[in-house]
Amino acid sequence: MEWFDGLTRRGVKPGLDSTEELLRRVGDPREGMRFVHVAGTDGKGSVCAMVESILKASGMRVGAFTSPHIMKVNECIRIDGEDISDADLDQLIGMIRPHAEAMAAEGRECTNFEVLTVLALKYFSLVSADIAVIEVGMGGRLDSTNVITPVVSVINNIGMEHTEFLGDTIQEIAMEKAGIMKPGVPCVTMNPDEVFEVLEAHAEDVGCPLKRVMRDDAEVMASWPDHVDMVYRGESYTVALPGRHQARNASLAIEAVMALPEYDEQISEHLSEGLETVSWPCRMQKLFAEPVIVDVTHTANGARCLHSDVSEIYGRVVLVLAMLNDKDLDGVSRELAPVAEKVYVTAPASHRAASPERMSESMSRYHGVDGVFPTVGEALDAALEDRGDLNVLVTGSFRTAEDALRWLQSRYARS
């Protein structure tokens, strides 16, 4: 694990060559495997979790590869809803490491995410998964997960992100996401006209059957703290994740599994069960031990949805905000400010963290800052003390959510 964790220093390296070569050296586990490939800026992890849950409810042996993790890397690789064990993870790293080191000696160093992708595919092969749901890490065309040929792909909402790698316009970013399309492989998407036009043109170029789901196709009947009730295609569903936006994610997940050849005979009768039992932590998750809502939102569009859903369910909140320095601090601050009664800013425990001072500068443009703290835990302590009868919303990144959960563990270990 020390060796694996050390690979993060190699940063981001778009391209498929190293992943393809490492796959070849470990025996190319892709042969005979089936995949669902999911891209997008917001909501792609939720769609993965829903597809995974539906297929598991249908009796299939389902692998899932999502990222990043919240508490430990094992969360990224699952089989039948269970994280890969420490023993299996250690064994697989030991299997792959000599090949990665041999490549490095040849001047072809692999990144952490490239090794993790190969590790996941190898694991799914070894445990004989019937199908695996694969979440794109960044972009699509040059993401290391794009070494697979899926049976169906999904492109969720696309927004401005990772512009240093994906492009400076929404159209350029859309083209990168469209890169997961494959000839003859159906793709499901939900995007506004300016993005859909790019996706549609690329689908025609590569011969990819493209289905568009509209935002209003899923009708939300009721939104609750721990689930949302919806109607899609005339059928009623309960999705065990909070927020109106999860109804839109669910409609994409439904369309994705509908494109599978075994849908009518094996999957269709388990749609409701899969959506009712889906689990996806830290997505507007209420910690019932405390009046705290934890979320991983880190984009302006995600923050806009979070603001709307939190406002509807909880009203105004005390906001604890901490982000990474390469994210849209201004956009997230702008979108979350209206739902905040008080604001406390801080920094996640990450070398990529935006400083509390920089976070404060961004938020101060839209809302007064009531406290600046060096750690998420200290900010949460202050927010809980000053909240009155309001809930506390802590958000801004996966690392912020991790810090919040570790704060909770420590709080109850002391009590």
Side-chain angles (χ1 to χ4, degrees), residues 130-177:
D130 295 321
I131 194 166
V133 185
I134 309 293
E135 179 186 7
V136 169
M138 182 184 74
R141 181 176 65 93
L142 298 177
D143 184 77
S144 63
T145 65
N146 204 28
V147 295
I148 63 172
T149 299
V151 288
V152 61
S153 58
V154 180
I155 301 177
N156 206 342
N157 170 72
I158 294 174
M160 296 297 294
E161 62 164 348
H162 302 296
T163 54
E164 68 274 31
F165 297 106
L166 304 181
D168 295 325
T169 68
I170 196 70
Q171 289 80 10
E172 290 174 330
I173 293 173
M175 273 301 296
E176 290 298 317
K177 307 279 187 184

Side-chain angles (χ1 to χ4, degrees), residues 58-80:
S58 304
M60 301 173 74
R61 188 160 173 76
V62 187
F65 177 48
T66 58
S67 64
H69 64 276
I70 296 173
M71 299 293 279
K72 59 189 301 188
V73 72
N74 305 57
E75 300 164 24
C76 296
I77 302 171
R78 300 182 299 281
I79 187 72
D80 288 340

Side-chain angles (χ1 to χ4, degrees), residues 70-71 282 294-296 397-406:
I70 296 173
M71 299 293 279
C282 295
V294 182
D295 194 86
V296 297
S397 78
F398 282 82
R399 303 286 62 83
T400 303
E402 177 186 10
D403 289 353
L405 296 183
R406 295 196 186 282

Side-chain angles (χ1 to χ4, degrees), residues 65-247:
F65 177 48
T66 58
S67 64
H69 64 276
I70 296 173
M71 299 293 279
K72 59 189 301 188
V73 72
N74 305 57
E75 300 164 24
C76 296
I77 302 171
R78 300 182 299 281
I79 187 72
D80 288 340
E82 297 293 326
D83 298 346
I84 187 173
S85 69
D86 288 343
D88 286 344
L89 182 61
D90 189 65
Q91 183 178 12
L92 279 162
I93 292 175
M95 180 191 306
I96 291 171
R97 177 177 178 177
H99 299 289
E101 289 182 329
M103 288 176 60
E106 299 165 8
R108 305 173 67 179
E109 290 187 335
C110 293
T111 66
N112 176 280
F113 190 69
E114 288 169 338
V115 170
L116 190 63
T117 301
V118 172
L119 194 155
L121 298 181
K122 186 69 174 178
Y123 180 63
F124 299 147
S125 174
L126 290 172
V127 299
S128 302
D130 295 321
I131 194 166
V133 185
I134 309 293
E135 179 186 7
V136 169
M138 182 184 74
R141 181 176 65 93
L142 298 177
D143 184 77
S144 63
T145 65
N146 204 28
V147 295
I148 63 172
T149 299
V151 288
V152 61
S153 58
V154 180
I155 301 177
N156 206 342
N157 170 72
I158 294 174
M160 296 297 294
E161 62 164 348
H162 302 296
T163 54
E164 68 274 31
F165 297 106
L166 304 181
D168 295 325
T169 68
I170 196 70
Q171 289 80 10
E172 290 174 330
I173 293 173
M175 273 301 296
E176 290 298 317
K177 307 279 187 184
I180 70 166
M181 294 180 185
K182 303 293 190 301
V185 175
C187 179
V188 182
T189 191
M190 179 185 293
N191 270 287
D193 291 345
E194 63 175 346
V195 172
F196 180 73
E197 289 168 2
V198 175
L199 302 180
E200 185 177 40
H202 187 73
E204 291 177 0
D205 288 343
V206 301
C208 165
L210 182 64
K211 178 176 180 60
R212 186 185 191 184
V213 181
M214 305 303 291
R215 288 173 61 91
D216 296 333
D217 286 352
E219 183 182 1
V220 175
M221 307 308 293
S223 184
W224 305 94
D226 60 351
H227 70 275
V228 61
D229 294 323
M230 61 174 280
V231 173
Y232 182 70
R233 286 196 172 200
E235 297 291 333
S236 298
Y237 301 99
T238 293
V239 183
L241 298 176
R244 288 178 173 268
H245 64 285
Q246 295 296 359

